[in-house]
Amino acid sequence: FDKVLVANRGEIACRVLRTCRGMGIQTVAIYSPADGPNSLHARMADECFMIGSGGSSSAAESYLRGEEVIDIALRSGAHAIHPGYGFLSENANFAELIQKTSSFTSHELAFVGPSPSAILSMGDKSHSKDIMEKANVCTTPGYHGTNQDPEYLLHEAVHNVGFPLLIKATMGGGGKGMRLVYTEHEFLSALESCQREALNSFGDSNVLLEKYLIDPRHVEVQIVADSHGNCLYLHERDCSLQRRHQKILEEAPASYLSSSIRQQMGDMAVKAANAVQYVNAGTVEFLFDSTSDDFYFCEMNTRLQVEHPITELITGVDLVEWQLRIAAGESLPITNQEDVPCIGHAMEARIYAENTRKGFIPAVGKVWHHSPPVQPNVGSVPVSHGNRSNAVKTKGECIARVDTGLQTNDVLTVHYDPMISKLIVHAPTRLQAIETLQKSLNSYHLAGIPNNISFLQDCLNHETFRTAGGVDTGFLEREEAYFLRKDCGEGGGMEDEWNVDMLQQNPLSVAVGVFGVLMKLDDRVGVTHKSGPWSNLSGSWRMGGNEGRFRRRLIPLFSEREENASSPLLSTIECASNQDGSYEISIVSHPSSSHKEDNMNENTAVTNPGQTSLYTIQGTFDCDGKMTILIDGTKRMSFIAATNEDEDKSTFDISLWSSSEVNNGCTYSAWNMSFRHPLPAFASSSRDSDNFMLEGDASTERKRSVKSPMPGKIIRLNVTEGEDVKEGDVLLVMEAMKMEHVVRSPLDGIVSTLKLDVGDIVEDGSILAVVEDAIVSGSDDEEKESSG
């Protein structure tokens, strides 16, 4: 092909564009109004066109507009369309429309993917299971018929499939349109939710029922096939580490599989592909029972997978290049299965914008600092491992690669998937791959938005994960307490506080952050302190001894307020400059309202309203972000730090990461702080004490505001104002980033306020409803009656 249009966005668009550039192919990108022409994938292409009209950035109004994509391809002179994954990649109508356009016009246009008939056959999970059974491919027991009546499905679930079972959208994928049901009682509500999510995500509400295997491993096989009758499998990947049926960490090859099982799976995957005359790259997914060595066909993804890079690293194959060559009618570069290499071990970690401490809910916002461990979107880069300073020259070296579509200062929105990037590593052995991934994650610096890097480190540190073949699909659910612990308890007193509000950070962590802020405010970043009373590097010291020292008060801004916080409230941070360039930092921790109530209940007077932590910190803050400090003249520590001044919001942010060069490199410590900007240029009359004090109802705990856990769209209201509710009852359902999120009542009572309609867009933290205890509400009514 002379020119290829990439019908996607983000990291996969950048990935395809990179290979096209290497092959000397001209490229065309499309972008939504939200992404804009300055998004990374649009800038990487030779040409770019906006898709959609009216300013809407939803997928339906932009990247899913198939006819407009084809029109841009024709106008730009592209001869092929690569769909990436997601969006139009498994849309048979889109693939067929490309074929028709090529047939009915003089413009030759190819779809880089399988035929429309193959997409239809494998895209409908019910139909695909029928095909697999006829091809003697083992399938999971269940119901995949056409009768979609809820009562009939309930009858099938109870009498033929059995519990637990999975309800799965027949056209679904990526964990969307899927519900795990344990009992008959919860079946119909789960079915309704699954069908609604399937309709919104895929335009089809049909579902199938599948017997849920208890804690199987998820093993998938990469296949490639050309139009000349050649079909190969490029080994398997283990994707068992999942949450909400979405993959987090993948590895290739799958560990602790016998050679006979590997071959059986590979042969079965080729058989599945041949059953639908498949051409191009695809993935056949199996559920593997480790106790019996039995495996069952789950589904086939008729596209490139998110985790395809780990297959590339163990085989040396550029899968995107093979896709393009197959679509152009060429034969596979390798046609003999025995010639497919399998070298070393590869792993991929998906970096998500999400708050792991709030149930992994997606996060949105501006990423004001993004520094991956290696240069992104350039292929694989050698990583020094342990004491191997000559890793670049050593055969069998450890390498890392980052695929991303994100740039510093990009804004993540609710319209698209929250994945920020993929960090991929390769090493001679599985253990070395784990260690290389840990080292790379330690050097991944991301600020401005909650993310899962610390969580990924916890996974890699877990003994079960480090055991070959130890992880199954139920691993995270069983180990929930381990992964949601408050802190890691290591790292020299620095807690793992990336997703922890300043309310919960220890004073030393806050003091270190404050030191970085002061160095930035005093223009001391990148310079070395010179002693002397007239030096402008003396921390703004003034004549007059202690009384003459320059003092500054920093006001913390709390991003996550908890009405019943049990941790101290950090409300006062006093800073003073010393002549030697150090800073004296005083942090006063006041008890929260709950602590006060406890004291009052015990009839004890609060004679000591707070505890003061005092630190003297000196050190350097280099231009490259390296910050080395000495605390109280005894403890030396090193960090990487990044700062951000937001003039619009009048805030000053700092994020810090522990430096493995000085601190314990086996743990990941990162934390973020925000302050009201202390400089006059940033002052805002709209800001007052409410911005940095705890929110809550001081009069009673029996009245609770229910806040939005994330930005999103209201898709269902289950209650109305004045309605009685029980604790845990569903108040409403939100949709964010293609996933449904249920909002429940925090207590028994009455819905006193509900000012929402279906279709409303709400911001993170906005009040959705107010629930009052029935006693409180009744008292109000009595007062009204007596006053009448």
Side-chain angles (χ1 to χ4, degrees), residues 750-785:
I750 297 173
V751 180
S752 62
T753 305
L754 183 68
K755 305 297 185 184
L756 293 170
D757 292 312
V758 172
D760 285 355
I761 303 296
V762 296
E763 297 297 323
D764 182 22
S766 60
I767 295 177
L768 304 175
V770 176
V771 180
E772 294 186 20
D773 187 288
I775 297 175
V776 176
S777 179
S779 299
D780 292 342
D781 292 340
E782 290 175 6
E783 289 176 6
K784 289 179 182 178
E785 289 179 5

Side-chain angles (χ1 to χ4, degrees), residues 179-195:
R179 296 293 184 274
L180 174 58
V181 183
Y182 286 96
T183 65
E184 177 182 354
H185 174 73
E186 58 185 311
F187 179 83
L188 288 177
S189 61
L191 173 65
E192 179 188 356
S193 176
C194 183
Q195 289 177 323

